[in-house]
């Protein structure tokens, strides 16, 4: 009997799942279908580079999976029906209903700015290639007197402000945060980031909450108004919303709750991976949204499904972090070493070496699907664990 497996989303998590399953399961045992709205894959962890006008490589999705084992569908996912075990997709003006035996939801996340008035209408985002490209086009039109404001003091905001200031030194760039910039980091690491931003000419404005965004600027918490010709919103992410997933047990953030095999705790034939899943970490709490978790949960789901279909026990390798990588332009960065559950340690790496580590990890994440597919033809299936770690899959980017 052939098992029909449908994977929704071809980001890091979806690609790892597709390649891991193709390597583990024989063609007669499973049909693997990969559905994504885009024909090409562009690394999300490079969106700030794309927005700053740098050349970022996109690769056709069908080149990242074995064509004979994985069928790629370019289509929008309209809804899922976990009870009928069916997915509805839209290809142009045509609607299709796809039946599944096992469903993997890997649709990722988008900007969490919709709760603030005006963000959706007037701010730029970095969740997808089209959004980053639109920001790039707008920035190219600006003059030296135009002002750019990046909202959000997390990793994405820090990287975006740094990249813009380095790529457009003539533009005044402000980084605005509701709390401290990099507030989750040790004081020494945080001070290094703020100093590096200042060296690039970025004005850092902390403890400033944005209440509303309009076409000309931002209304902030102290009743002030900040003029801004271009506003970039990086104030957090939220899991993708899909009709039908409300039937799945979810947490308060809207993430699908899964067990250690990435299997929905409420629907046994549904798996969730990446940002849309509440992935349990070493201490049982949900792991933070990141490329690392996408890679780790992707191969874990393939491992779990292959074990389920073969009747063999799943090898339980802990999902854990090693470090957080933050780029501060192309020649500077910070690597913050962390505990397995993502708590910062005292140790960190800075400067050019940190920038090199960040680039190495980013390239490794892109190569992991290729390497898993290539080596698993000749090696035991569990080699994906070693490959993922070797290519930086455990590093939070």
């Amino acid at each position: 009997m052939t098992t029909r497996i449908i994977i929704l989303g071809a980001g890091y998590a979806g690609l790892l799942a597709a390649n891991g399953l193709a390597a583990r399961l024989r063609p007669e045992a499973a049909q693997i279908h990969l559905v994504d709205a885009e024909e090409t894959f562009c690394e999300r962890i490079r969106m700030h580079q794309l927005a700053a006008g740098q050349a970022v490589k996109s690769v056709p999705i069908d080149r990242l999976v074995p064509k004979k084992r994985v069928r790629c569908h370019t289509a929008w996912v309209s809804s899922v029906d976990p009870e009928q075990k069916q997915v509805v997709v839209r290809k142009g003006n045509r609607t299709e209903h796809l039946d599944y035996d096992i469903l993997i939801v890997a649709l990722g996340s988008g900007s969490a700015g919709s709760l603030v008035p005006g963000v959706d209408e007037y701010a730029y985002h970095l969740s997808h290639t089209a959004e980053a490209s639109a920001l790039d086009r707008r920035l190219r039109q600006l003059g030296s007197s135009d002002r750019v404001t990046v909202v959000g003091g997390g990793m994405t905001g820090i990287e975006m402000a740094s990249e813009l200031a380095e790529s457009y030194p003539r533009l005044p760039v402000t980084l605005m945060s509701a709390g401290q910039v990099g507030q989750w980091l040790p004081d020494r690491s945080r001070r290094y980031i703020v100093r590096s931003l200042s060296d690039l000419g970025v004005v850092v404005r902390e403890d400033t909450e944005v209440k509303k965004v309009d076409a000309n600027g931002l209304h902030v918490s102290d009743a002030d108004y900040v003029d801004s010709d271009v506003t970039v919103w990086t104030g957090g992410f939220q899991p993708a919303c899909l009709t039908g997933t409300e039937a799945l047990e979810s947490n308060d953030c809207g993430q699908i709750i899964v067990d250690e095999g990435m299997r929905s705790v409420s629907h046994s034939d549904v798996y969730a991976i990446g940002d849309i899943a509440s992935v349990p970490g070493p201490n049982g709490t949900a792991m933070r949204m990141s490329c690392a978790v996408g890679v780790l949960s992707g191969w874990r789901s393939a491992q779990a499904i292959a074990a389920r279909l073969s009747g063999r026990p799943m090898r339980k390798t802990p999902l854990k972090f090693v470090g957080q990588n933050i780029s501060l332009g192309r020649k500077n960065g910070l690597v913050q070493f962390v505990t397995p559950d993502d708590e910062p340690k005292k140790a960190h790496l800075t400067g050019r070496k940190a920038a090199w580590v960040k680039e190495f990890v980013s390239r490794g994440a892109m190569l992991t699907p290729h390497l898993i597919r290539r080596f698993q033809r000749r090696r035991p299936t569990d080699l994906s664990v070693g490959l993922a770690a070797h290519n930086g899959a455990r590093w939070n980017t």
Side-chain angles (χ1 to χ4, degrees), residues 133-164:
S133 297
L135 176 55
D136 173 35
R137 291 191 296 270
R138 179 69 180 103
L139 290 170
R140 293 175 186 272
Q141 299 170 356
L142 298 182
S144 58
S145 61
D146 293 321
R147 293 143 299 192
V148 179
T149 305
V150 179
V151 181
M155 291 186 188
T156 306
I158 292 168
E159 292 189 327
M160 186 72 262
S162 302
E163 211 72 54
L164 288 178

Side-chain angles (χ1 to χ4, degrees), residues 97-120:
H97 294 74
L98 306 177
D99 297 317
Y100 66 83
D101 298 302
I102 293 176
L103 176 67
I104 303 177
V105 184
L107 293 173
S109 62
S111 172
S114 58
L115 297 178
V116 177
V119 168
D120 291 341

Side-chain angles (χ1 to χ4, degrees), residues 194-205:
V194 173
R195 186 167 63 249
S196 297
L197 288 166
S198 179
D199 290 343
L200 287 168
V202 177
V203 175
V204 175
R205 183 165 176 170

Side-chain angles (χ1 to χ4, degrees), residues 22 26 47 107 187 207 238 246:
R26 298 187 305 275
M47 289 297 137
L107 293 173
D187 287 343
D207 301 318
Q238 60 187 12
E246 63 272 7

Side-chain angles (χ1 to χ4, degrees), residues 2 33 76 81 84 173 199 241 299 303 324 335 343 350 357 369:
T2 302
H33 298 260
W76 286 94
D81 187 337
Q84 298 298 318
V173 177
D199 290 343
C241 182
W299 63 252
Q303 190 180 41
Q324 301 173 2
V335 175
E343 287 296 320
T350 60
V357 170

Side-chain angles (χ1 to χ4, degrees), residues 92-393:
N93 296 323
R94 184 163 50 94
T95 298
E96 290 186 16
H97 294 74
L98 306 177
D99 297 317
Y100 66 83
D101 298 302
I102 293 176
L103 176 67
I104 303 177
V105 184
L107 293 173
S109 62
S111 172
S114 58
L115 297 178
V116 177
V119 168
D120 291 341
E121 294 86 355
Y122 300 110
Y124 289 85
H125 306 274
L126 295 172
S127 301
H128 307 289
T129 304
E131 294 174 339
S133 297
L135 176 55
D136 173 35
R137 291 191 296 270
R138 179 69 180 103
L139 290 170
R140 293 175 186 272
Q141 299 170 356
L142 298 182
S144 58
S145 61
D146 293 321
R147 293 143 299 192
V148 179
T149 305
V150 179
V151 181
M155 291 186 188
T156 306
I158 292 168
E159 292 189 327
M160 186 72 262
S162 302
E163 211 72 54
L164 288 178
E166 186 175 87
S167 298
Y168 294 94
R170 60 184 174 80
L171 287 178
V173 177
T174 298
L175 177 60
M176 188 175 295
S177 176
Q180 290 186 319
V181 170
Q183 63 183 7
W184 73 95
L185 295 168
D187 287 343
R188 189 164 68 104
S189 299
R190 201 188 75 81
R191 287 195 299 269
Y192 182 83
I193 288 176
V194 173
R195 186 167 63 249
S196 297
L197 288 166
S198 179
D199 290 343
L200 287 168
V202 177
V203 175
V204 175
R205 183 165 176 170
E206 300 180 313
D207 301 318
T208 305
E209 184 178 358
V210 177
K211 298 294 187 178
K212 181 181 178 180
V213 179
D214 62 33
N216 301 308
L218 306 94
H219 301 263
V220 297
S221 53
D222 54 4
D224 193 8
Y225 185 82
V226 178
D227 293 325
S228 180
D229 297 284
V230 172
T231 300
V232 185
W233 193 268
T234 67
F237 297 95
Q238 60 187 12
C241 182
L242 176 64
T243 302
T245 55
E246 63 272 7
L248 306 172
E249 188 170 341
S250 304
N251 62 16
D252 293 340
C253 299
Q255 292 175 303
I256 300 168
I257 299 176
V258 298
D259 62 18
E260 60 184 5
M262 305 301 113
R263 192 176 187 175
S264 166
V265 297
S266 61
H267 290 71
S268 61
D269 294 320
V270 177
Y271 292 72
I273 53 180
D275 287 354
I276 204 168
S278 178
V279 178
N283 60 3
T285 60
M287 301 181 80
R288 188 156 47 85
M289 295 182 187
S290 66
C291 163
V293 174
V295 171
L296 290 167
S297 60
W299 63 252
R300 171 59 65 84
S301 67
Q303 190 180 41
I305 292 170
R308 170 184 176 178
L309 296 180
S310 66
R312 295 195 298 265
M314 182 185 74
R315 179 178 175 180
K316 297 180 180 180
T317 305
L319 305 184
K320 57 185 180 180
F321 289 111
V322 173
Q324 301 173 2
N325 299 315
I326 304 173
S327 63
L328 298 166
R330 294 298 86 206
K331 300 177 182 179
N332 189 11
L334 180 136
V335 175
Q336 178 64 55
F337 296 101
V338 299
T339 63
D341 58 356
D342 207 28
E343 287 296 320
K345 298 180 179 179
K346 291 183 179 180
H348 72 202
L349 182 69
T350 60
R352 286 182 177 269
K353 290 182 179 179
W356 181 88
V357 170
K358 165 76 174 184
E359 181 62 23
F360 175 79
V361 171
S362 298
R363 293 186 181 185
M366 181 67 170
L367 290 173
T368 299
H370 283 299
L371 294 174
I372 287 180
R373 187 172 77 248
R374 178 179 299 176
F375 284 93
Q376 281 189 332
R377 293 173 183 163
R378 293 169 276 170
R379 301 290 185 109
T381 58
D382 286 340
L383 184 64
S384 62
V385 176
L387 284 170
H390 174 72
N391 284 284

